[in-house]
Amino acid sequence: MSTSPELDRLLAGPVLETAPRLLGAVVRCGQVAVRLTEVEAYDGANDPGSHAFRGQTARNATMFGPPGHLYVYFTYGMHHCANIACGESGTAAGILLRAGEVIEGLDVARARRPGSSDRDLARGPARLCRALDIDRGDDGGDVHHGRVRLELGPAPDPQRVSIGPRVGLRDAADRPWRFWLTGEPSVSRYRPATPRTLGQRADLRKQ
């Protein structure tokens, strides 16, 4: 696993270079560890698909801070999703932890996700957060020394890295900023955006 200076340099770099490098890295929280198999890149003011596109709010403030901190948001009134801020402070770039394989703490993860197959324990950003017990209380946490930690492994073989559009976006939906390890069963299924009702849009504005 990498040293903190190596990880610091990586997370301070451009989001589209950093995101695929996180494939194979391990996210650890308590007894559970997940090996990342899928991530998505978001590029702040340069990206209409990013929560930070229209500027800083109380909800997304962590993205505007220094790299290497968790941005955790609550969505649809039921799910948490986790990102790692990267790039220079103020750029609000981030990498969504979209899916992974539970490699430690299987019994704990199974108890948190009853009825799930082992393949599906962290297959999708909300499931990943549930398996690791990540919630809004982890927002702003340092991935070097916080409750949720990132451990960087060897760089993935470029021949194993697939690239495609991000999942469920309406804005900038065609940008190929999703990266995953080819053939990994824990990679989530691609879904395009679906129309929302006016009631659902109002609910999202309240979050």
Side-chain angles (χ1 to χ4, degrees):
M1 295 298 177
S2 81
T3 63
S4 290
E6 290 173 323
L7 186 55
D8 280 337
R9 286 193 292 272
L10 176 68
L11 294 177
V15 68
L16 292 177
E17 295 178 13
T18 302
R21 180 64 181 84
L22 294 190
L23 293 172
V26 172
V27 181
R28 185 182 301 278
C29 184
Q31 297 173 271
V32 179
V34 170
R35 180 177 65 91
L36 294 175
T37 59
E38 182 182 11
V39 296
E40 288 180 347
Y42 290 86
D43 198 18
N46 302 313
D47 180 5
S50 170
H51 287 182
F53 180 63
R54 292 181 175 82
Q56 185 171 338
T57 65
R59 182 197 194 203
N60 67 21
T62 298
M63 291 189 74
F64 289 83
H69 291 256
L70 280 180
Y71 164 51
V72 183
Y73 64 91
F74 191 57
T75 185
Y76 295 111
M78 64 180 76
H79 299 308
H80 290 95
C81 298
N83 302 254
I84 297 177
C86 66
E88 298 180 2
S89 294
T91 61
I95 298 166
L96 175 67
L97 309 181
R98 169 154 281 284
E101 175 195 12
V102 177
I103 58 172
E104 293 181 27
L106 263 173
D107 288 344
V108 176
R110 288 167 180 158
R112 291 171 178 163
R113 298 257 302 115
S116 173
S117 68
D118 288 353
R119 180 199 70 170
D120 290 343
L121 286 172
R123 189 177 183 232
R127 294 172 177 179
L128 182 148
C129 282
R130 178 68 64 84
L132 286 165
D133 191 33
I134 294 173
D135 60 24
R136 278 288 291 170
D138 296 300
D139 183 60
D142 183 339
V143 298
H144 297 295
H145 311 293
R147 194 176 83 94
V148 181
R149 300 191 182 190
L150 178 68
E151 300 171 353
L152 190 66
D157 180 351
Q159 298 301 316
R160 285 204 64 210
V161 177
S162 292
I163 302 171
R166 295 172 294 186
V167 176
L169 292 190
R170 290 166 181 79
D171 299 315
D174 59 341
R175 295 186 185 182
W177 288 3
R178 180 169 63 101
F179 306 89
W180 67 94
L181 292 175
T182 308
E184 286 281 346
S186 59
V187 171
S188 61
R189 189 167 55 133
Y190 174 73
R191 294 182 180 87
T194 54
R196 291 192 189 120
T197 67
L198 289 176
Q200 287 173 322
R201 291 173 185 168
D203 287 343
L204 289 174
R205 286 195 293 269
K206 294 174 185 176
Q207 293 172 14

